[in-house]
């Protein structure tokens, strides 16, 4: 049995910055409402007509991660691509990224676990490395939310929260069992599937054949979120799954050098920080600048924490996420 360890990380954010005031020109909202409820000041949206898509953004993040890891793309044994907004209905974005990276053949698998996607993908990579089956695995989270949001007042409860971007991590085999990923804890609870969901387009609900520009698609073609239900479940599940990881590894909250929560909402992160008595130096948040980038949020935040020298070799790092499904999970690692 081996451990797996992150040896390189990268991120990519589209250049187009969309501020809260920009949104207020499209829908009935305000900077004050958004900042007070979510902590978000601005987010990035793909520039229409640019080459940015989940797979191309993932490529840019992956190239940075590979360079930092000192690996060439052809040394990867596997690609795991976490996204809720894949380029195509099928095939998945993993195979598109594989082609963009110029890898002739390797397993390239999409992970459809929404906000918990990166934690699920990391854990999956860890199992393949632990077992000895693979040595180097690329784990990516990338989202193009802006392409599918309802940017009218009808969609404001959701649209102000989400942003686009990609983050990537390279995992490799580690023989020292005190380093790398120590444990992952994963959960799903499908009874809440529709509380945070996008029902159409799907096999149950294709796009209507004729779309009248003056009569927008019905609501089921846009993401739906029962914000208060999500909030209540998120704070409970985040706490449970972090506690489970701490207990499993015999760590206390004060042992944590860096906690990187999924960037769902600053109020959720602050609630968890307070609950575990963590100082500002122990928690990394960047939702203020990027909004909620779902499966990309943890790898983008972790990349930035590392770039800023806030995650160093030997540090105890905790990642945790909660999201649509509902799904939730945590990963504990020694950097
Ligand atoms: N601007 C202005 N007003 C708005 C907006 C907006 N963008 N969105 C909703 N409102 C209005 C509503 O229409 C409602 O008006 P009404 O009272 O006249 O009916 C009022 O504001 C209050 O709406 P609520 O939905 O009750 O607002 P709430 O205080 O619950 O805040 C929010 C909404 C921010 C979504 C909150 O529920 C929340 O933080 N939920 C957690 C969900 C979350 O963070 N999800 C992130 C994505 S999921 C994930 O990553 C886990």
């Amino acid at each position: 049995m081996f451990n797996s360890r992150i040896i390189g990380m990268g991120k990519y954010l589209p250049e187009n910055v969309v501020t809260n005031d920009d949104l207020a020109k499209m829908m009935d909202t305000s900077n004050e409402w958004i900042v007070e409820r979510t902590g978000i000041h601005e987010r990035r949206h793909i520039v229409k007509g640019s080459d940015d898509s989940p797979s191309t953004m993932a490529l840019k993040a992956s190239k940075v991660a590979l360079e930092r890891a000192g690996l060439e793309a052809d040394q990867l044994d596997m690609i795991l691509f976490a996204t809720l907004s894949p380029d195509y209905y099928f095939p998945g974005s993993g195979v598109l990224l594989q082609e963009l990276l110029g890898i002739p053949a390797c397993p390239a698998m999409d992970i459809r676990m929404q906000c918990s996607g990166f934690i699920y993908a990391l854990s999956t990579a860890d199992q393949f490395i632990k077992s000895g089956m693979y040595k180097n695995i690329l784990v990516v989270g990338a989202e193009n939310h802006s392409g599918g949001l309802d940017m009218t007042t009808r969609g404001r409860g959701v649209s102000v929260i989400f942003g686009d971007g990609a983050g990537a991590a390279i995992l490799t085999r580690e023989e020292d069992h005190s380093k790398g990923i120590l444990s992952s804890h994963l959960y799903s609870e499908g009874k809440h599937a529709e509380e945070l969901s996008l029902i159409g387009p799907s096999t149950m609900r294709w796009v209507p054949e004729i779309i009248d520009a003056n009569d927008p698609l019905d609501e089921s073609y846009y993401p739906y979120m029962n914000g208060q239900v999500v909030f209540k479940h998120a704070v409970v599940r985040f706490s449970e799954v972090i506690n489970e990881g701490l207990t499993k590894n015999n760590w206390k909250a004060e042992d944590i050098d860096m906690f990187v929560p999924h960037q769902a909402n600053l109020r959720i992160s602050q609630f968890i920080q307070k609950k575990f008595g963590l100082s500002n130096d122990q928690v990394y948040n960047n939702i203020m600048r990027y909004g909620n980038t779902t499966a990309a949020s943890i790898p983008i935040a972790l990349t930035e924490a590392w770039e800023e020298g806030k995650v160093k070799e030997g540090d105890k790092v905790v990642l945790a996420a909660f999201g649509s499904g509902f799904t939730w999970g945590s990963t504990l690692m020694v950097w």
Side-chain angles (χ1 to χ4, degrees):
M1 289 273 279
F2 301 99
N3 271 18
S4 69
R5 183 165 67 90
I6 294 177
I7 53 165
M9 298 222 46
K11 67 173 199 282
Y12 173 78
L13 281 309
E15 63 194 31
N16 180 27
V17 176
V18 178
T19 65
N20 294 342
D21 287 337
D22 292 333
L23 294 180
K25 290 177 197 144
M26 301 174 218
M27 59 188 82
D28 182 11
T29 190
S30 65
N31 180 51
E32 294 68 35
W33 194 98
I34 299 170
V35 171
E36 187 194 317
R37 303 292 219 287
T38 69
I40 300 167
H41 291 256
E42 57 190 40
R43 73 286 294 142
R44 306 295 182 93
H45 281 178
I46 283 179
V47 181
K48 298 268 181 286
S50 72
D51 81 337
D52 282 339
S53 75
S55 62
T56 63
M57 291 193 295
L59 175 70
K60 290 169 191 167
S62 301
K63 281 183 168 171
V64 176
L66 279 165
E67 195 187 331
R68 287 173 173 169
L71 288 184
E72 298 295 333
D74 63 8
Q75 290 175 278
L76 293 173
D77 300 311
M78 184 182 218
I79 295 169
L80 295 172
F81 198 123
T83 185
L84 66 63
S85 51
D87 296 53
Y88 304 147
Y89 192 89
F90 73 85
S93 293
V95 298
L96 304 180
L97 177 60
Q98 175 194 14
E99 173 63 11
L100 290 170
L101 283 166
I103 305 171
C106 78
M109 181 159 85
D110 280 32
I111 305 264
R112 297 285 305 273
M113 302 307 285
Q114 303 70 249
C115 300
S116 310
F118 187 75
I119 299 280
Y120 268 78
L122 213 52
S123 172
T124 307
D126 184 45
Q127 306 312 311
F128 277 109
I129 291 175
K130 264 199 176 84
S131 69
M133 186 162 171
Y134 296 129
K135 188 172 176 205
N136 300 317
I137 301 182
L138 167 62
V139 178
V140 192
E143 304 285 4
N144 169 13
H145 288 307
S146 65
L149 295 174
D150 179 355
M151 301 302 282
T152 69
T153 297
R154 185 180 69 176
R156 65 183 178 175
V158 173
S159 303
V160 301
I161 293 177
F162 292 94
D164 303 337
I170 310 290
L171 273 86
T172 198
R173 186 180 288 170
E174 169 61 59
E175 296 192 9
D176 180 346
H177 282 206
S178 67
K179 285 188 188 159
I181 294 179
L182 303 183
S183 68
S184 293
H185 310 272
L186 307 176
Y187 293 95
S188 307
E189 192 178 25
K191 77 174 168 191
H192 304 294
E194 295 189 4
E195 301 290 5
L196 179 49
S197 57
L198 201 170
I199 306 296
S202 64
T203 56
M204 307 303 286
R205 186 174 280 263
W206 290 111
V207 178
E209 277 177 30
I210 300 165
I211 300 170
D212 181 343
N214 300 315
D215 181 17
L217 287 170
D218 88 52
E219 291 179 0
S220 67
Y221 294 94
Y222 293 105
Y224 166 77
M225 178 173 69
N226 185 340
Q228 292 182 8
V229 168
V230 172
F231 196 100
K232 282 183 198 144
H233 283 261
V235 291
V236 172
R237 296 310 195 183
F238 260 111
S239 303
E240 282 175 5
V241 84
I242 293 165
N243 263 327
E244 185 181 346
L246 293 177
T247 304
K248 164 92 182 163
N249 293 287
N250 212 9
W251 292 3
K252 296 192 172 55
E254 59 261 36
D255 296 331
I256 300 173
D257 293 300
M258 185 51 73
F259 169 51
V260 181
H262 161 53
Q263 301 291 293
N265 179 317
L266 193 59
R267 290 193 311 165
I268 294 178
S269 297
Q270 288 169 340
F271 182 95
I272 302 301
Q273 174 174 348
K274 198 164 165 208
K275 178 150 193 190
F276 284 87
L278 302 175
S279 69
N280 288 341
D281 291 342
Q282 286 175 288
V283 184
Y284 195 87
N285 287 306
N286 61 8
I287 190 168
M288 306 73 88
R289 299 193 294 281
Y290 305 135
N292 179 338
T293 57
T294 306
S297 92
I298 291 179
I300 292 172
L302 192 53
T303 301
E304 292 198 339
W306 177 82
E307 286 170 345
E308 292 169 22
K310 292 178 177 165
V311 174
K312 301 174 294 301
E313 188 156 354
D315 279 357
K316 292 188 167 87
V317 177
V318 175
L319 313 177
F322 175 88
S324 159
F326 291 150
T327 60
W328 62 101
S330 65
T331 299
L332 287 82
M333 62 176 87
V334 173
W335 197 262

